[in-house]
Amino acid sequence: MDKQLRHDLIKAAVQENKIASQSDLVTYLAKKGYPITQATVSRDISELHLIKVAQADGSFYQLPQVEQIDRSDAALAELLKNVNAQFYRQDNLISIETAPGSGIVVANAIKQRHWSEIFTVLGTDDSALLVLKKDDVNNSDIVSERLAALLN
């Protein structure tokens, strides 16, 4: 299946339906005659920057508000608030817990900012792990303060 067509179908699915999980997307695409794997859907969700937004009747995937990715602090703050992010730190690690389906999006958003204190960022379904550089400065304090400011 052509990637662009698949992306277009996924965009239509989340705009027209309440898609709560990756398996919902797999089922939707299969019913449309396009059987694909959950792994492919997972990659597509990341590439499309879909986020899960809590609503009264559950959490559902949505497209980002703008197609052009906004790399401003305000955009990151809004993303973190929309996914109910909370962070915890230990040594040179910061774990950001998110709503299910949003961890990879948060990880990618942070990676795109190229914060000099971060060695790498790992994303899972519902969290992002920031591995900070070990330098003479306390990178953990710097990044924690930055995240706290974004969440307030």
Side-chain angles (χ1 to χ4, degrees), residues 19 21-34 36 41:
I19 303 293
S21 67
Q22 292 179 4
S23 63
D24 287 350
L25 271 176
V26 169
T27 302
Y28 174 88
L29 292 169
K31 286 180 180 177
K32 294 287 186 183
Y34 301 102
I36 61 169
V41 165

Side-chain angles (χ1 to χ4, degrees), residues 23 88 98 108 117 122 131 141 149:
S23 63
Y88 309 93
T98 69
N108 286 337
E117 302 85 6
L122 306 170
V131 180
D141 286 341

Side-chain angles (χ1 to χ4, degrees), residues 11 15 47-50 63-70:
K11 287 178 187 179
Q15 288 174 325
E47 290 171 5
L48 292 169
H49 304 286
L50 298 183
L63 291 168
Q65 296 298 318
V66 292
E67 287 295 321
Q68 188 73 345
I69 297 172
D70 185 352

Side-chain angles (χ1 to χ4, degrees), residues 19-21 50-54 59-62 82-83 99-102:
I19 303 293
S21 67
L50 298 183
I51 61 169
K52 268 197 168 174
V53 176
S59 294
F60 304 100
Y61 283 108
Q62 288 186 356
N82 283 342
V83 301
S102 301

Side-chain angles (χ1 to χ4, degrees), residues 85-89 94-97 143-145 147-149 151:
Q86 297 179 4
F87 73 95
Y88 309 93
R89 71 182 242 203
I94 296 178
S95 174
I96 303 173
E97 304 296 321
V143 174
S144 291
E145 288 169 10
L147 288 170
L151 287 167

